[in-house]
Amino acid sequence: MFDTSRQDLRYAARTLGQSPLFTVTALLSLAIGIGATTAIVTVANTLLLRPPPGIGDPERVVHIGRTQDGSGFDNFSYPNFVDYRAETSTLTGLAAFQMEPRSLSLAGPDGGEAVKGSLVSGTFFEVLQAKPALGRFFAPDEDRAPGASPVVVLSHRFWRERFARDPGVIGRTIVLNGSPFTVVGVAEQGFQGPIVLVPDLWAPIMASPLLGMPADLLTSRPSVWLTAVGRLAPDVPLGAAQAELSTIAHRLEQTYPEANRGKGVRVMPSSVFPGELRKMVSGFMALLLAVAGLVLLIASTNVAGMLLARVASRQREIAVRLALGATRARLMRQLVTESVMLFVAAGVGGVFLAHWLVRGLMMLVPRLPVPLGFEPSIDWRVLAFALVLSLGSGLLAGLVPALQTTRPALTPALKSEGGGSGRRLRLRSGLLVAQISFSMLLLITAGLFGRALMHARGIDAGFEPRDVQLASMDLRLVNYEEARGTRFATALLERVRALPGVRSAALSAALPLGGSGLGLGGLRIPDAPADDERNDLRTDWNVITPGYFETLRLPIVHGRGFTEADREGAVPVVIINETLAGRLWPNEPAIGKTIRNDEILLTVVGVARNAKYRSLGEDPRNFVYVPLAQRYFPRTTLFVRTTPGVAAAAPIRRIVA
């Protein structure tokens, strides 16, 4: 068997070498299809199948997030996390962390340097079974009292790039947001935490007041800002942890109904994209894989047709070999060997092509504020996929021509110089029709993509973004308290509005179409029954300054916008959008009505036109605007509308500095 297989391989190589034009054309066609498919699988493997590096026993790690009315995967409050941690028995450890690292200011010889830090509970590194490269991780007593233990752990990348691998950094004091912190450790190379976003450093949650965060975040149950990661106890399935934490969530809802109404918990396997993000990424990668698979299918169909035409020209040779006593199975194996050899050789080329395609794709990834912790590479899973894909495609592409060609009528075939039977011609026609059909499907898919992009460009966002320039800033980085931050905002707007070419300017806490929302608590109708459905409406918020609606050209359809008179000490006011106005007071004017937010009674002074807030494809969303002078928010974005062609970035930087 081994000798005959070796003979088949030698004969296949010699036969393919005698037709260089056919061989090269087929190899290139297949290599492109296999390479594109393998490249997508390489990226998907890194994003969805590989565990985050530096985590011990990752299959026992789970992500835990909050649900609202049974759906979603979101943040929860620190007090709720403390209760989950204290009452769980299905988890050997539970740790809290911020999903998105926050901006911090690191003091240096040339002024402030923007870095990204993540606040984590003291058990974070223990739960993940991480190992330090230098120093140590947080001690238990360093995450018990607010502001008592200002310590940080550096990521290996940040230590390498910012501190030049200096081992003496352990014990050194660095200044973050104006507060001194002691470096106690450096994480192991490659460790990034449990998600795809890589912070520069980690600090204990109890150090949050030193970084300009409100102290009540540690005691407020309505303030949701943390996600959890846990480690399953030995022999405990994920379902048992889900059941136990759901029971705890139900008890919390009964004990604290105002803060936890409708809030549940979801336990999911660990992934660099936790929660709903994994579904989104999986769907996108599946779509890309389907497109790449179509390319491979077209190439394989094309090569199968070429193989059929090629073996048809060898009809007399095959008839002679059959007449001399060769079995049909032996000839079929010979022909299939040629096909498999061709596809495997193309698969090898496709793997090399996939490597360069992945490198090219990574070069197209834009520079983001927070580094992404993934480096796609070809591992054993990808190689196994490419091998199975090549072998399977080669067998299918070679088997049909072999079946059709190895049972000719011997006498006519021996007299023939080539050509093909009607059945073989019909098969070739069928392959050609299939190839054209797949090509048309690919063209239609591309056309639908193009149409969707054109449709997205034509969606009315509700505001006019042209000629609006943005500058984001976070006043917590310099520890500005409310009074100083408000004075800074006022002075900034006055000077920016005075710049040549500037038509209007305003500050906004939320960035339209930024993908996320801002929550500042629930709304209630004064004197309404507790079971009134209007008290359970989910609402996004924004904190803005006067001039916001003019700058974005977002119309006020009823009432007025904010003015300088809407300041601290004046009657608290609010502007709502048309959707919320219709749900709160259907068939009634909203102007002059009042709504309650926590203990604050807000008077509606305006109704703004509906807009797109998180994404262009979203459904109508409830939205609330409050003035910065009455609801201070330190993280904000400057919106500047200029005359066309005016660049305001440089003078704005000078003003901020």
Side-chain angles (χ1 to χ4, degrees), residues 76-79 81-82 85 94-98 118-124 138 142-149 151 181 202-211 213-215 217-219 225-228:
F76 45 75
S77 67
Y78 183 74
F81 159 72
V82 172
R85 182 176 60 184
L94 185 65
F97 69 99
Q98 285 183 295
S118 181
L119 292 170
V120 300
S121 64
T123 56
F124 179 74
F138 303 135
E142 289 174 336
D143 195 38
R144 288 178 180 167
S149 300
V151 293
F181 281 74
W202 295 270
I205 286 176
M206 286 297 169
S208 58
L210 301 175
L211 298 174
M213 299 180 65
L217 279 180
L218 301 176
T219 57
W225 60 293
L226 294 169
T227 307

Side-chain angles (χ1 to χ4, degrees), residues 136 138 150-153 169-174 180-185:
R136 62 173 177 84
F138 303 135
V151 293
V152 295
V153 171
V169 73
I170 304 300
R172 184 183 302 177
T173 298
I174 62 175
F181 281 74
T182 301
V183 178
V184 297

Side-chain angles (χ1 to χ4, degrees), residues 58-402:
E59 63 274 5
R60 304 299 297 171
V61 176
V62 293
H63 281 292
I64 302 161
R66 171 179 60 87
T67 64
Q68 183 65 47
D69 300 321
S71 62
F73 189 92
D74 212 335
N75 299 331
F76 45 75
S77 67
Y78 183 74
N80 278 5
F81 159 72
V82 172
D83 287 336
Y84 286 130
R85 182 176 60 184
E87 298 183 31
T88 181
S89 61
T90 57
L91 302 173
T92 59
L94 185 65
F97 69 99
Q98 285 183 295
M99 184 77 74
E100 181 179 352
R102 64 189 309 102
S103 297
L104 302 173
S105 175
L106 173 65
D110 299 323
E113 174 186 346
V115 299
K116 291 293 183 179
S118 181
L119 292 170
V120 300
S121 64
T123 56
F124 179 74
F125 297 101
E126 178 185 350
V127 168
L128 297 179
Q129 295 183 358
K131 299 177 181 179
L134 290 175
R136 62 173 177 84
F137 293 137
F138 303 135
D141 60 350
E142 289 174 336
D143 195 38
R144 288 178 180 167
S149 300
V151 293
V152 295
V153 171
L154 307 180
S155 73
H156 196 279
R157 176 193 54 80
F158 186 61
W159 171 65
R160 182 181 67 247
E161 296 176 358
R162 178 62 176 77
F163 296 96
R165 300 177 180 267
D166 181 10
V169 73
I170 304 300
R172 184 183 302 177
T173 298
I174 62 175
V175 178
L176 296 172
N177 288 15
S179 299
F181 281 74
T182 301
V183 178
V184 297
V186 175
E188 191 177 31
Q189 184 172 1
F191 177 80
Q192 63 190 50
I195 58 174
V196 72
L197 300 176
V198 185
D200 297 315
L201 51 88
W202 295 270
I205 286 176
M206 286 297 169
S208 58
L210 301 175
L211 298 174
M213 299 180 65
D216 63 358
L217 279 180
L218 301 176
T219 57
S220 172
R221 288 191 184 270
S223 301
V224 292
W225 60 293
L226 294 169
T227 307
V229 60
R231 181 170 292 276
L232 294 171
D235 302 323
V236 172
L238 186 144
Q242 174 69 68
E244 181 192 52
L245 292 177
S246 295
T247 301
I248 299 173
H250 181 66
R251 183 190 63 76
L252 291 175
E253 183 178 11
Q254 293 179 325
T255 308
Y256 309 100
E258 291 295 325
N260 289 297
R261 184 177 288 108
K263 293 180 173 63
V265 68
R266 176 166 295 166
V267 183
M268 302 184 70
S270 176
S271 169
V272 293
F273 289 100
E276 303 300 321
L277 288 175
R278 182 180 177 87
K279 293 182 180 178
M280 294 172 57
V281 174
S282 300
F284 181 66
M285 298 308 301
L287 182 62
L288 291 181
L289 188 59
V291 173
L294 269 178
V295 174
L296 177 59
L297 197 56
I298 293 170
S300 299
T301 307
N302 181 38
V303 172
M306 294 166 62
L307 287 171
L308 185 61
R310 187 166 181 270
V311 296
S313 66
R314 298 166 59 188
Q315 178 178 337
R316 187 176 183 184
E317 171 200 340
I318 292 171
V320 169
R321 296 177 66 181
L322 286 170
L324 293 176
T327 64
R328 184 180 177 220
R330 182 74 175 83
L331 290 177
M332 285 181 59
R333 193 175 69 186
Q334 173 73 69
L335 296 174
V336 171
T337 299
E338 293 181 21
S339 174
V340 170
M341 176 178 286
L342 190 65
F343 273 77
V344 169
V348 173
V351 169
F352 283 102
L353 179 60
H355 171 74
W356 291 106
L357 285 175
V358 170
R359 292 189 61 177
L361 287 173
M362 293 304 297
M363 292 177 64
L364 296 176
V365 175
R367 183 177 178 85
L368 300 174
V370 182
L372 297 179
F374 75 97
E375 295 181 3
S377 59
I378 296 175
D379 61 7
W380 67 268
R381 291 191 189 93
V382 177
L383 289 176
F385 169 82
L387 178 61
V388 171
L389 183 66
S390 301
L391 289 174
S393 302
L395 284 172
L396 289 175
L399 191 59
V400 174

Side-chain angles (χ1 to χ4, degrees), residues 404-651:
Q404 292 293 321
T405 311
T406 54
R407 51 182 179 185
L410 287 182
T411 302
L414 288 171
K415 296 179 179 179
S416 173
E417 294 295 332
S421 67
R423 181 173 53 193
R424 197 175 301 121
L425 291 174
R426 286 193 299 272
L427 180 58
R428 289 172 60 184
S429 300
L431 290 172
L432 180 61
V433 169
Q435 184 179 351
I436 294 174
S437 300
F438 293 140
S439 300
M440 289 300 298
L441 178 59
L442 191 60
L443 286 173
I444 291 171
T445 303
L448 290 175
F449 270 117
R451 183 179 178 183
L453 289 174
M454 294 300 294
H455 176 68
R457 292 190 62 181
I459 293 176
D460 182 11
F463 57 89
E464 177 52 66
R466 290 186 181 86
D467 300 319
V468 176
Q469 302 180 41
L470 309 178
S472 296
M473 59 196 77
D474 192 340
L475 302 184
R476 294 172 300 186
L477 302 187
V478 286
N479 281 343
Y480 278 12
E481 73 283 359
E482 181 175 344
R484 191 174 182 184
T486 303
R487 290 197 302 270
F488 172 86
T490 301
L492 174 65
L493 288 175
E494 288 178 355
R495 295 185 60 180
V496 169
R497 288 166 180 165
L499 290 174
V502 172
R503 294 180 173 178
S504 60
L507 293 172
S508 168
L511 182 65
L513 305 182
S516 61
L518 175 65
L520 296 178
L523 296 175
R524 295 184 63 84
I525 304 297
D527 303 324
D531 59 352
D532 193 319
E533 63 181 12
R534 295 177 296 175
N535 293 331
D536 292 324
L537 295 177
R538 300 184 66 179
T539 306
D540 278 3
W541 292 68
N542 197 2
V543 182
I544 62 175
T545 61
Y548 174 81
F549 297 102
E550 293 83 356
T551 300
L552 282 187
R553 294 180 180 170
L554 177 59
I556 299 289
V557 295
H558 299 293
R560 64 173 177 86
F562 296 135
T563 67
E564 300 299 336
D566 300 317
R567 57 183 180 273
E568 186 179 7
V571 175
V573 294
V574 64
I575 295 173
I576 61 179
N577 70 343
E578 294 172 294
T579 296
L580 183 57
R583 289 173 177 170
L584 291 177
W585 302 287
N587 304 318
E588 295 182 38
I591 305 303
K593 295 286 199 310
T594 57
I595 49 179
R596 186 178 296 279
N597 171 231
D598 295 333
E599 299 303 319
I600 304 174
L601 198 63
L602 304 171
T603 300
V604 178
V605 297
V607 176
R609 179 191 175 190
N610 285 337
K612 299 296 185 181
Y613 304 103
R614 298 193 183 193
S615 67
L616 284 174
E618 68 184 10
D619 294 327
R621 184 181 295 274
N622 302 320
F623 209 83
V624 173
Y625 303 88
V626 290
L628 177 68
Q630 294 183 346
R631 193 67 172 264
Y632 177 70
F633 199 81
R635 190 179 69 246
T636 188
T637 298
L638 175 66
F639 289 71
V640 182
R641 178 170 291 281
T642 64
T643 55
V646 172

